[in-house]
Structure formats: structure tokens, C-alpha cells
Amino acid sequence: MNKDSRIYVAGHNGMVGSALLRRLVSHGYRHLIARSRQELDLLDQRAVSRFFAEENIDVVLLAAAKVGGINANLTQPASFLYENLVIESNVIHAAFASGTPKLVFFGSSCIYPKYCPQPIKEDYLLTSGFEQTNEAYAIAKIAGLKLCEAYNRQHGTRYISVMPTNLYGPNDNYDLQNGHVLAALIRKTHEAKLAGLRSVSVWGSGSPRREFLHVDDLASAVLALLDADHVEGVFNIGYGRDISIADLAYLVCDVVGFSGSLDFDSSKPDGTPRKLLDASKLTGLGWSPTISLRDGIAATYADFTEKMQRTGYASA
Ligand code: GFB
């Protein structure tokens, strides 16, 4: 890949896609291609094929997907399975059919079994059952990973898949029902502070552990992979340490400046007890994360409050 490569960032308005775009622009890549959902519906196979036939794309960063937190996955399994299967099938096939040499497919740490040795290695895929709350999304993302491998084997493409851990950062989705935990806790503690509330609800027991990677660190990892020669297969992208949901909530309260108490709501699901990734395949290429959780939360909170002031609401 070089600075004149024609790079298509699918999902450029989302948290991951916008971070990729920021990184590519800051690193001097000059031919970046992006289409909004209104300009190109990735669920429309004919439109996607026509787009690839016209655009002469060298690299695809397939960050477009239907994503969401534990409650969104629990309540919308058909949407998560259908939309992610169709988007990835349309884009991966059209990339192959138009001769695009490089593609990065984005999965998630939730594709791994609910119970497997920690930290999780790429080889643990499909070695035991899924976490029920996100089985649909996990199966869709595994299908995308396997589709890349199948095109590589049958047609000699070199499409790779990355499995990021839980992500956060600018342009996150702050919707309290469909977003992820860190964005939800930032919004809930901020609103509780402004309203002078005495407590904030935290879903579940607080005992699950999660690893969090700032989305700008994810973007630097993806560029490190694209710059490396002859990389292939699946790469975990993680921070290297995890934290309990309870301790995360206390950390967010500290950063936001909310001094009330936390109410743990056992009527909400905990989900996977732990999903710490082994990212040594990637760190072996020389990459490492640079944004600490506390600094990342503080920067994300600043982004959130700025967006609230500008738009009055912070959902994606
Ligand atoms: O981030 P989250 O929704 O997704 O939840 P997962 C992580 C943990 O935080 C769960 C707890 O144990 C939640 O019960 N939690 C506590 C909360 N308070 C809240 C809250 O206010 N909102 C939310 N959302 N959670 C997702 C998968 O699993 O991980 C996706 O469902 C994707 O498919 C994503 O893979 C990366 O980490 O449990």
C-alpha cells in the first residue's frame, strides 16, 4: 500500500470507520473513498457491484456493520445476523470480482467461545459454544472471516480479518439501550451529575471483565498490518489488560466527576464473563497501544460533552 493507493473505508461515519479515516488522512494517504449509507446501500448487491466496478479500489477497510451492545444483540438477533451477512457478502464478493487486491474484514472479540482460556488466542475460534446474547452477531462475523479465507484459498486473494476487543472513543453510540457499556456509563454519569441524582444504574453484577481499546489505537494497528508485507489470516487487536465492569464504572464516575453511588441491576444480563485477547500475533509486528484507559475515557468524555453542546444529543 502506498500514499496513492485508492482506499475505500466502508462505514466511514461510524466510530471505527471515522478513526480509520482520521489516521489515513494524518498519514498522507491521498485517494480515500467513502460513501454514506444514502449514497451506497451496502445491503444492495447490485449497487455494491456497480460501485466496485466503477471505482478501481486497491484496498478495502470493511468497517461497515450493524453493531451494538449486549441489549441490542439480545433484542435484534435477526437484524444482526441478516444485515452483517449481507453487507460482508456483498462487499467481499464485489472486491474479488473487481480485482481488489487487499481487504481488511472487521470482526469482534465476541466471536470466541463464551468459556475459553484467557487470554484468548485466534486458534480458540469455534472450539466451544457462544455467549447466547450475541450468538447471531458472532456467527455473522465468523461467516465473514471464513468467507475471506475461502476467497484466499480458491482465488488467491490476501484478505485478512481483525478481531478487535471492546472499543470506545469519538463517534461512539451513546444510545442507552443499544450502545456499549463505556459510552453508556459516560452518558449516565454525566446526566446524573447534571441532574444531581444520588445514584446511577449499572447493568448486571459488575463482576464481568472487559478489555477496552481506544479506537485510535485500533486504527494504528490496522495501518501497521497494511504496512507489513505478506500478513495473512486473523489478528486479535487488544489492549492487553482488562477491568471489571464495577471498577470501570467507578473509574468513569471519577473521570466524569459524579460522586453518587452505583446500583447494580441484576435483572440485566452479564454476558460473557471475560474476553481478554492475546494480541501477540500483532504485537510481534511491532505494534502496541498508546492510549491508557483513564486518558481514553477523559478524551471520550470531552468528545461527548462537545457533541452534546453542539447537537443537543450524542447518539451516533
Ligand atoms: O458493552 P456491552 O453492552 O457488551 O456490555 P459486551 C459489557 C458489560 O457491561 C455487560 C455491562 O456485562 C453489561 O451487562 N453493563 C453495565 C452495561 N452497565 C451497562 C450499560 O449501561 N450498558 C451496556 N451496554 N452494558 C458486546 C457484544 O458484548 O461486545 C457485541 O454484544 C460486540 O456483539 C461487543 O461484540 C464488542 O461486551 O457484553
Side-chain angles (χ1 to χ4, degrees), residues 14-83:
M15 177 173 71
V16 171
S18 54
L20 293 167
L21 218 47
R22 278 198 302 275
R23 187 88 186 177
L24 288 163
V25 168
S26 70
H27 278 58
Y29 289 91
R30 288 184 283 270
H31 291 294
L32 305 178
I33 302 162
R35 291 289 184 280
S36 68
R37 210 172 298 201
Q38 291 67 35
E39 293 167 323
L40 176 61
D41 178 359
L42 296 179
L43 295 172
D44 179 344
Q45 185 179 37
R46 197 183 304 274
V48 173
S49 296
R50 191 166 48 245
F51 166 71
F52 271 84
E54 290 166 356
E55 285 298 330
N56 183 26
I57 293 164
D58 299 314
V59 182
V60 179
L61 303 183
L62 180 43
K66 177 167 177 67
V67 298
I70 191 167
N71 187 59
N73 276 268
L74 194 61
T75 55
Q76 305 171 52
S79 305
F80 275 91
L81 190 49
Y82 169 73
E83 291 185 34

Side-chain angles (χ1 to χ4, degrees), residues 243 246-257 262 293-294 297:
I243 184 173
D247 287 343
L248 175 75
Y250 289 118
L251 176 58
V252 171
C253 289
D254 188 42
V255 170
V256 168
L262 299 176
L293 184 56
R294 172 181 280 276
I297 293 172

Side-chain angles (χ1 to χ4, degrees), residues 143-157 159:
L145 179 161
K146 292 296 182 182
L147 193 57
C148 288
E149 289 180 351
Y151 275 86
N152 294 344
R153 209 161 52 242
Q154 183 173 337
H155 298 297
T157 51
Y159 296 170

Side-chain angles (χ1 to χ4, degrees), residues 224-286:
L225 281 168
L226 287 170
D227 287 340
D229 290 328
H230 310 304
V231 290
E232 56 186 22
V234 183
F235 290 83
N236 287 342
I237 306 182
Y239 182 70
R241 281 198 306 279
D242 60 3
I243 184 173
S244 73
I245 294 303
D247 287 343
L248 175 75
Y250 289 118
L251 176 58
V252 171
C253 289
D254 188 42
V255 170
V256 168
F258 173 67
S259 54
S261 62
L262 299 176
D263 290 339
F264 292 93
D265 178 357
S266 57
S267 74
K268 298 284 188 184
D270 272 343
T272 301
R274 194 180 187 201
K275 44 180 179 172
L276 175 66
L277 294 181
D278 177 332
S280 51
K281 258 185 84 175
L282 174 64
T283 53
L285 297 176

Side-chain angles (χ1 to χ4, degrees), residues 68-70 73 108 110 137 166 179 181 188 203 210 269-270 275:
I70 191 167
N73 276 268
S108 162
C110 81
Y137 181 71
N166 287 48
V181 59
K188 288 200 274 194
W203 293 355
R210 291 293 183 271
D270 272 343
K275 44 180 179 172

Side-chain angles (χ1 to χ4, degrees), residues 75-116:
T75 55
Q76 305 171 52
S79 305
F80 275 91
L81 190 49
Y82 169 73
E83 291 185 34
N84 287 306
L85 281 176
V86 173
I87 288 169
E88 64 202 22
S89 303
N90 286 348
V91 174
I92 294 168
H93 179 76
F96 157 70
S98 61
T100 299
K102 273 195 175 188
L103 178 142
V104 179
F105 173 70
F106 287 76
S108 162
S109 59
C110 81
I111 69 166
Y112 294 110
K114 176 167 188 170
Y115 302 106
C116 64

